[in-house]
Amino acid sequence: MSDIVYLNGEYLAKHDAKVSVLDRGFLFADSVYEVIPVYHSIPFRLTEHLTRLEYCLRSIGLAHAFAAFEWQALIQSVIDKNKGGHLSVYIQVTRGRDKERSHVLDKQTPPTLLIMPMPLSTDVAALKAIRVTLLEDFRWQHCDIKTTALLANILLRNQAESLGFDEAILQRDQYITEASSSNVFAVINGELITPPKNQLILAGITRDLIIELAENASITVHQQPLSLAQLLSADEVWVSSSSREISPISHIDGKIVANGQIGPVATKVHQLFQSFKQSLVNS
Ligand code: PMP
């Protein structure tokens, strides 16, 4: 992968691409983002990622700036300029550069658009169990917007890391929301339970694909509140995201889940996921 980014109409070397100190993304995290995995130069679940990006842009009042915008061509141009292969495409849209720092929006300010390649870890294609901790979800009430205001997520994730865990599963009032950068699934009596889509979680693209693949394979999926007690007594627990795909959990705060083994439902859904990816490359 070479390192060419698209920034406001220009293609630049990553290290030469600069954004102003007056950019609202820098000053206020007044911006949204998207991360799209690319396998064999093909963006994975592109329509779904673009639909979520449009939802986020609409949620912060920026949809008008990109009406009839050629997202697909632009993303493909960044992939091609970086010689394709396996990579991740990071998209960030900020509300743009103001004349002075001000909380109040200037509706005339054009947004800043960055499309940047990032390395994609492909070793996630092999299932590997991870250890997690449970932490209180102290984020805001709009976790459905994929904003770059990730301070709470970062503090939670780093608290987990500093304690020797790979991820933090988050709870509000004894119910699981999601994890610091992934969605949560539990398997109880062979059926999948994952918290419903609402303002307390990010609607993960991987989450939706797992549900689709599981249902097609006649595995029952419940999108319903998942209590802390259910999580702690579940037969299997996993987290999912574009970069992790499916990560089964062997320990929660040191307590063993599923005998510390990778469970049969995780194994099955992981196989379905890998076959689905392969079928896109072959088609
Ligand atoms: N929740 C949060 C808070 C995340 O940051 C992510 C990763 N972007 C996810 C869930 C999973 O989303 P996706 O499957 O689209 O990567």
Side-chain angles (χ1 to χ4, degrees), residues 52 146 153 178-183 202 204-206 240-242:
R52 184 171 67 184
K146 198 165 166 62
N153 303 60
E178 56 180 340
S180 78
S181 59
S182 45
N183 293 110
L202 183 77
I205 304 300
T206 321
S240 72
S241 73
S242 295

Side-chain angles (χ1 to χ4, degrees), residues 51-98:
T51 302
R52 184 171 67 184
L53 178 61
E54 272 158 26
Y55 169 79
C56 292
L57 289 169
R58 215 170 35 249
S59 302
I60 68 164
L62 276 183
H64 64 282
F66 295 100
F69 197 72
E70 277 303 324
W71 285 109
Q72 188 162 349
L74 206 50
I75 290 166
Q76 198 60 51
S77 75
V78 172
I79 295 170
D80 295 344
K81 282 188 190 294
N82 287 285
K83 305 196 171 57
H86 303 312
L87 60 139
S88 206
V89 170
Y90 175 86
I91 303 174
Q92 183 173 345
V93 180
T94 85
R95 206 182 300 277
R97 185 187 58 197
D98 282 341

Side-chain angles (χ1 to χ4, degrees), residues 6-23:
Y6 172 94
L7 179 63
N8 294 334
E10 284 185 284
Y11 293 94
L12 301 163
K14 196 183 271 183
H15 292 286
D16 294 333
K18 304 265 189 311
V19 175
S20 165
V21 293
L22 286 170
D23 194 282

Side-chain angles (χ1 to χ4, degrees), residues 24 30 60-61 95 98 102-109:
R24 297 183 67 91
D30 187 353
I60 68 164
R95 206 182 300 277
D98 282 341
S102 165
H103 283 57
V104 181
L105 312 179
D106 176 350
K107 297 221 167 59
Q108 305 310 316
T109 305

Side-chain angles (χ1 to χ4, degrees), residues 6-171:
Y6 172 94
L7 179 63
N8 294 334
E10 284 185 284
Y11 293 94
L12 301 163
K14 196 183 271 183
H15 292 286
D16 294 333
K18 304 265 189 311
V19 175
S20 165
V21 293
L22 286 170
D23 194 282
R24 297 183 67 91
F26 173 70
L27 291 173
F28 303 117
D30 187 353
S31 73
V32 295
Y33 76 110
E34 195 48 64
V35 182
I36 309 173
V38 174
Y39 305 105
H40 299 283
S41 309
I42 305 167
F44 187 63
R45 304 295 268 183
L46 181 62
T47 309
E48 290 79 358
H49 280 281
L50 290 179
T51 302
R52 184 171 67 184
L53 178 61
E54 272 158 26
Y55 169 79
C56 292
L57 289 169
R58 215 170 35 249
S59 302
I60 68 164
L62 276 183
H64 64 282
F66 295 100
F69 197 72
E70 277 303 324
W71 285 109
Q72 188 162 349
L74 206 50
I75 290 166
Q76 198 60 51
S77 75
V78 172
I79 295 170
D80 295 344
K81 282 188 190 294
N82 287 285
K83 305 196 171 57
H86 303 312
L87 60 139
S88 206
V89 170
Y90 175 86
I91 303 174
Q92 183 173 345
V93 180
T94 85
R95 206 182 300 277
R97 185 187 58 197
D98 282 341
K99 293 189 190 67
E100 287 299 338
R101 180 184 180 278
S102 165
H103 283 57
V104 181
L105 312 179
D106 176 350
K107 297 221 167 59
Q108 305 310 316
T109 305
T112 296
L113 169 58
L114 168 70
I115 305 182
M116 175 168 75
M118 298 193 305
L120 177 74
S121 151
T122 42
D123 58 4
V124 289
L127 266 189
K128 189 172 158 284
I130 60 165
R131 295 166 180 247
V132 300
T133 184
L134 274 168
L135 295 176
E136 183 66 35
D137 191 342
F138 56 76
R139 300 173 303 160
W140 70 329
Q141 302 280 334
H142 261 299
C143 299
D144 55 323
I145 303 175
K146 198 165 166 62
T147 163
T148 58
L150 289 171
L151 184 57
N153 303 60
I154 286 168
L155 292 176
L156 290 160
R157 174 64 182 275
N158 283 278
Q159 186 178 342
E161 296 273 339
S162 67
L163 297 168
F165 298 105
D166 303 299
E167 176 58 302
I169 289 187
L170 309 178
Q171 53 146 329

